[in-house]
Amino acid sequence: MYYLGCDLGSTTGKAVVLSVEDGCGAVVSYAIEPSGLTPEETAAIAIERACEAAGITRDDLAGSCATGYGREHVSSADKNMSEISCHAMGAHFLQPSCRTIIDVGGQDVKAISVSAKGKVVDFTMNDKCAAGTGKFFEAMARTLRTSVEELGVMALSSADPTPISSTCSVFAESEVITAINKGIDRHDISGGIHESIARRLVGMVNRVGLAEDVVLTGGCAKNPGLRKALEDMLHVTLAPLPCDPQINGALGAALFAAGSPEALVFDREASTSALGDASR
């Protein structure tokens, strides 16, 4: 049976098609689409493309669930769940040893403590400031006249990260411009940017309690500079996820659509064709 999860974030909409059989769940397909004018529009596009990739239609779905900021506006979904619960369940499904989740999205960041069954124990969330989010990295990349992807790579080559004291995007941009005018190497500026954000995220993790394994999810989880800065400051190795970390919330929603999500086991082999080279 097929189930669908849709995660409507501030900058992208994600949809995941999950196949469930004999207590095992396999990721059949997924889609990541830029947010449109309305959550309903974004959801429709993401769902259509995920179903198309799976070779099915909406009529083939046994259930669906929406999560994220726009979850209540997806009229086609059978139910909706909080993004905190969906991120916890998605990470638990993919990495059962996970106990701490750091989710860095387009406009918010979260630190979530989860139980051995994928239940939320505690969480903290920053959704009133762009600090540490995808929007922050976009602003810093523009200031350094590079891409977001290259910004993370540049940080890996930093030999002497430049201290960036502010995580506010406005004040941090001013510090970056000052560093540029002083002739400081862009790699070191990028290194300082990532260290500044990592310190903020570590503070959030400490509020919920650090426990291994730790996973990093959200679109910013693809940033190698952020991953390294977090590992260095937390003194842990981030546990890998066998899929694109940006679809974790949508996957959690698909699991809730299936019912009794904590009882499902991830079928890695059956998911391989859908996940392809997205494993991280």
Side-chain angles (χ1 to χ4, degrees), residues 81-96 98 101 112 114-120 248-257 259-264:
M81 293 287 296
S82 79
E83 55 190 306
I84 302 297
S85 297
C86 288
H87 275 285
M89 191 53 65
H92 170 73
F93 178 69
L94 295 171
Q95 187 65 262
C98 166
I101 303 165
I112 309 169
V114 298
S115 70
K117 292 186 177 182
K119 301 294 185 180
V120 177
N248 183 64
L251 173 58
L255 289 163
F256 279 112
S260 303
E262 66 278 357
L264 292 176

Side-chain angles (χ1 to χ4, degrees), residues 37 73 92 104 113 120 162 169 185 188 237 274:
L37 294 177
H73 301 289
H92 170 73
V104 186
S113 173
V120 177
T162 302
S169 57
D185 189 280
D188 290 333
T237 297

Side-chain angles (χ1 to χ4, degrees), residues 144 150-151 153-164 175-176 178-193:
L144 285 174
E150 185 59 26
L151 185 72
V153 175
M154 287 167 57
L156 298 177
S157 302
S158 174
D160 184 20
T162 302
I164 303 293
E175 288 188 60
V176 168
T178 298
I180 293 172
N181 290 335
K182 288 181 178 179
I184 296 175
D185 189 280
R186 291 198 311 162
H187 295 78
D188 290 333
I189 298 175
S190 179
I193 290 169

Side-chain angles (χ1 to χ4, degrees), residues 14 22-23 40 57 91 167 235 250 255:
K14 288 78 64 176
D22 298 328
E40 188 79 37
T57 68
T167 54
H235 304 292
L255 289 163

Side-chain angles (χ1 to χ4, degrees), residues 196-256:
S196 173
I197 294 308
R199 279 194 296 273
R200 183 181 183 89
L201 295 175
V202 168
M204 294 178 68
V205 170
N206 288 337
R207 287 200 288 276
V208 301
L210 173 63
E212 298 188 59
D213 285 339
V214 181
V215 300
L216 181 62
T217 65
C220 293
K222 302 174 187 180
N223 182 325
L226 179 61
R227 293 184 64 88
K228 183 179 185 301
L230 279 171
E231 289 183 331
D232 289 346
M233 291 189 184
L234 289 173
H235 304 292
V236 302
T237 297
L238 295 173
L241 291 179
C243 70
D244 188 318
Q246 197 167 357
I247 68 169
N248 183 64
L251 173 58
L255 289 163
F256 279 112

